[in-house]
Amino acid sequence: MPLTDAKCRSAQPGPRLQKLTDGGGLQLWLQPTGARLWRLAYRFDGKQKLLALGVYPTVPLARARQAREDAKRILADGLDPALEKKRQAQARANAPTFRHIAAEYVAKLRREKRSEATMAKVEWLLGFANAEFGDEPIRQIAAPAILKVLQSLEARERFDSARRLRSTIGSVFRYAIATARAEIDPTYALRGALTQVKATPRAAITDARKFGALLRAIDAFDGQPSTRIALQLLALLFPRPGELRLAEWTEFDLERAVWSIPASRMKMRRPHQMPLSRQAVELLGALRAISRGNFLFAGVRSPSRPISDGTLNAALRRLGYAKDEATGHGFRATASSLLNESGKWHPDAIERQLAHVEGNSVRAAYARGEHWDERVSMMQCWADYLDELKIPASRTVVAAVVK
């Protein structure tokens, strides 16, 4: 008579092993210790054999019956279910895990000389994935498992991190596909599954008179002299704050008035040269006299480490500018807006100075020039224009980027 869940639960152990039969060779062995073990009796190659199917109630009756049917199909194919189970277990043990492939992917990024900030971010993100399914064979990881870890970040309102994690996990899967250890990228199925949060542009002052007030406030900054100079250079050169914060003296040729930023520190992984205005060279000379170590802007505690990524924004707050009024990155938007509005400079020259990469592949093929001579003139005119913006509002302020 077939078993029921009630009978499986209520059966009491005795002094000897009891075998409760469900039919088709499926048995529940009730040990004297109280353990309940699923066994499947079958014949293969003329011999009586036994297959372990797990422990009740961890493996419920329905799953045990399904395992019995799976074993019958294996027998119908002329294979031994017990040997096939061992083969599958061995295959799982030898299968590359997500953690293993992710470590290879991280090593690949390091060989490509990605910045330490990028590597730290990638490894931090992969920590969430490894905690959830790092030890699973990569071929067995499906979209729902990935969505679970992404939604755990969204539940903490870390929407951008969830989006970046999806992209990073996808990169690991595509690396696995390229190395013949996976067939599909399950993150593709998650497009549109995450919460879409409208990006908030970084705050920037694009009104010339208001920007002049900010420049005057920076010149009067009473904090660390190096921090004041960093803010002044942000205004003059408008690099990405991280490019300036991590700048080293070996990158500067003050005689030629050129700052050469290596590809490893650029967002698009392309080396970038920046012409220096007379004002920028003077500031760098003053900074050189007070700097310590290789970094232009060394931290207070150790000259071997740069200032933190929050230092410049904190200085703007100290000057009285809220985070929705001005940010370190906002100097780029200010320069882009005012230079473009002047109408004097070619848009490509402005884009090259901002180290933007042309997204249109056809246009990029015809825009490989760096517009160097024009950029040299533009940066000197920009510096002169900032000097004029610093004139108090009671005096005439030039309204264009050139006299």
Side-chain angles (χ1 to χ4, degrees):
M1 190 173 176
L3 294 173
T4 64
D5 272 317
K7 186 173 182 179
C8 293
R9 287 194 305 269
S10 62
Q12 297 299 313
R16 297 181 181 180
L17 172 66
Q18 301 178 52
K19 297 181 181 180
L20 308 180
T21 302
D22 184 62
L26 180 61
Q27 302 170 353
L28 181 64
W29 287 15
L30 186 58
Q31 301 277 29
T33 59
R36 291 165 168 79
L37 312 175
W38 289 114
R39 296 293 184 265
L40 178 66
Y42 66 98
R43 293 187 69 82
F44 181 78
D45 200 18
K47 298 178 181 178
Q48 186 67 32
K49 306 196 74 172
L50 203 62
L51 178 65
L53 300 180
V55 179
Y56 181 87
T58 303
V59 177
L61 177 59
R63 278 182 56 190
R65 286 173 173 167
Q66 182 60 54
R68 176 184 62 196
E69 299 308 311
D70 292 342
K72 285 183 177 180
R73 281 191 288 271
I74 293 172
L75 282 168
D77 291 335
L79 300 174
D80 183 348
L83 292 178
E84 185 65 12
K85 182 179 179 181
K86 289 181 180 179
R87 187 193 67 77
Q88 292 176 359
Q90 186 65 36
R92 285 194 297 272
N94 295 332
T97 63
F98 180 88
R99 188 188 305 274
H100 177 78
I101 301 295
E104 285 189 18
Y105 174 70
V106 168
K108 171 180 172 291
L109 295 184
R110 289 197 178 281
R111 290 194 298 273
E112 294 172 353
K113 307 298 183 183
R114 300 296 181 93
S115 70
E116 283 305 312
T118 296
M119 297 309 304
K121 185 73 171 181
V122 168
E123 291 176 330
W124 177 75
L125 288 170
L126 287 174
F128 292 103
N130 283 330
E132 183 67 28
F133 47 73
D135 297 322
E136 294 292 325
I138 195 164
R139 280 191 169 95
Q140 295 182 15
I141 300 170
I146 299 172
L147 183 59
K148 180 181 177 182
V149 68
L150 298 180
Q151 289 177 332
S152 71
L153 286 174
E154 288 193 330
R156 295 152 60 187
E157 298 188 354
R158 305 182 77 163
F159 302 109
D160 186 62
S161 293
R163 180 180 58 81
R164 290 176 181 273
L165 178 56
R166 173 189 170 273
S167 176
T168 302
I169 292 173
S171 295
V172 173
F173 270 95
R174 289 189 291 278
Y175 175 75
I177 293 170
T179 54
R181 289 174 291 181
E183 288 75 38
I184 62 170
D185 172 12
T187 65
Y188 184 81
L190 298 177
R191 293 186 306 169
L194 298 180
T195 303
Q196 298 298 315
V197 179
K198 186 177 180 179
T200 303
R202 294 182 177 92
I205 297 173
T206 56
D207 178 271
R209 291 181 180 275
K210 291 181 179 179
F211 191 56
L214 172 59
L215 295 175
R216 292 193 294 274
I218 290 173
D219 285 353
F221 181 69
D222 61 357
Q224 288 286 337
S226 59
T227 302
R228 172 179 52 78
I229 292 175
L231 291 174
Q232 291 170 322
L233 289 174
L234 273 182
L236 285 168
L237 306 178
F238 44 94
R240 295 179 179 89
E243 294 163 5
L244 183 66
R245 182 176 68 86
L246 299 173
E248 299 184 25
W249 285 110
T250 54
E251 299 167 9
F252 290 83
D253 186 334
L254 298 186
E255 291 187 6
R256 291 177 53 237
V258 176
W259 177 15
S260 299
I261 310 176
S264 61
R265 288 205 297 102
M266 294 298 297
K267 181 179 180 179
M268 304 309 294
R269 300 293 167 242
R270 291 176 51 184
H272 182 57
Q273 285 197 319
M274 186 176 293
L276 302 172
S277 63
R278 181 185 70 258
Q279 292 88 331
V281 171
E282 290 174 357
L283 282 174
L284 289 165
L287 178 64
R288 192 74 180 97
I290 61 174
S291 69
R292 304 172 299 155
N294 295 326
F295 290 107
L296 270 69
F297 304 102
V300 175
R301 295 182 180 180
S302 171
S304 63
R305 296 176 64 88
I307 57 176
S308 72
D309 56 4
T311 299
L312 300 182
N313 281 334
L316 289 171
R317 305 297 161 262
R318 183 173 173 179
L319 289 172
Y321 288 85
K323 63 181 181 181
D324 59 351
E325 293 180 297
T327 61
H329 203 280
F331 285 89
R332 293 169 59 78
T334 300
S336 178
S337 296
L338 296 180
L339 287 169
N340 277 293
E341 287 174 6
S342 76
K344 178 178 175 62
W345 312 105
H346 195 292
D348 283 349
I350 299 171
E351 291 300 290
R352 290 296 182 275
Q353 187 59 32
L354 289 162
H356 287 164
V357 175
E358 173 59 51
N360 185 308
S361 61
V362 175
R363 175 172 165 75
Y366 293 95
R368 292 179 180 173
E370 295 297 320
H371 298 266
W372 181 258
D373 291 341
E374 183 175 4
R375 286 167 55 202
V376 170
S377 297
M378 180 179 72
M379 294 304 284
Q380 185 56 57
C381 286
W382 172 251
D384 294 340
Y385 175 58
L386 297 192
D387 284 344
E388 295 191 30
L389 285 183
K390 295 178 187 179
I391 299 173
S394 59
R395 298 175 59 183
T396 302
V397 178
V398 177
V401 183
V402 290
K403 294 180 180 179

